[in-house]
Amino acid sequence: SRSWLSPAGTGLTFSLLVRPGAEESQRLWAMAGVGVASGLRRLGMAAGLKWPNDVVVAGRKLCGILVEASWSGNAPQYAVIGVGCNVNLDVEQVPAIAATATSLARELGHPVPRMAVLEALLHGLDEARRVWRGAPAALLRRYRELCGVRGRRVGATGGGATLEGLALDVD
């Protein structure tokens, strides 16, 4: 029931097809978050993560990430990492998100070439995947470092109910 807003020329939305192993697929969401945040940091953004799938700067949403996988029994066949990033979007022109979203152009004070953003994000994702394959515990530590919800009150709504609690850790 959620929609993505990306007027022509203002954002970068792409899907990346990966073929993870069974172990790797267990935490693909963490790898994607760390990779995107790391790529944005290469562009000068103090990007952090808001569990489970938002990348934020100064408390405002800059990117969204969605990971979906296809399984055959206990084996993943493939996964798709979808990324949507506000690059040159003037969030003030979109009342529905003006108070909660930001863009690279807004944060940096100038328009940003979308191909440079794509290059940085793909580099960050590739680097995170290599770390995950070699040292999964290191990747989860990095996720925890970037995650801004630890130690805060959180809520989740679904199925007509809202659950609230204190986010102690991510595992």
Side-chain angles (χ1 to χ4, degrees):
S1 66
R2 305 231 177 167
S3 60
W4 288 41
L5 173 68
S6 187
T10 66
L12 176 65
T13 54
F14 65 95
S15 296
L16 184 63
L17 178 70
V18 295
R19 298 197 184 277
E23 282 288 316
E24 190 179 30
S25 67
Q26 299 291 321
R27 300 271 190 328
L28 199 53
W29 55 271
M31 189 275 303
V34 168
V36 170
S38 296
L40 290 167
R41 285 174 171 259
R42 295 174 69 85
L43 296 171
M45 294 289 96
L49 299 170
K50 179 182 171 194
W51 184 86
N53 59 354
D54 290 342
V55 180
V56 295
V57 172
R60 291 174 171 254
K61 184 174 179 175
L62 178 61
C63 294
I65 303 168
L66 181 64
V67 178
E68 294 189 5
S70 176
W71 291 75
S72 177
N74 291 332
Q77 299 302 298
Y78 62 87
V80 178
I81 301 170
V83 178
C85 184
N86 296 329
V87 179
N88 294 310
L89 178 66
D90 181 356
V91 296
E92 302 303 325
Q93 299 299 314
V94 188
I97 63 170
T100 59
T102 192
S103 69
L104 287 169
R106 178 183 178 172
E107 297 299 321
L108 294 172
H110 58 80
V112 181
R114 290 182 298 153
M115 286 304 292
V117 177
L118 179 61
E119 182 180 334
L121 294 182
L122 291 175
H123 182 83
L125 286 162
D126 184 54
E127 183 178 279
R129 190 162 190 207
R130 278 187 271 120
V131 170
W132 173 244
R133 286 185 168 165
L139 183 81
L140 288 174
R141 272 193 307 276
R142 183 66 179 141
Y143 186 93
R144 288 180 180 113
E145 291 168 3
L146 293 168
C147 186
V149 299
R150 292 175 60 215
R152 300 177 79 184
R153 303 242 3 122
V154 295
T157 302
T162 299
L163 299 174
E164 294 183 3
L166 180 65
L168 297 177
D169 202 356
V170 177
D171 182 16

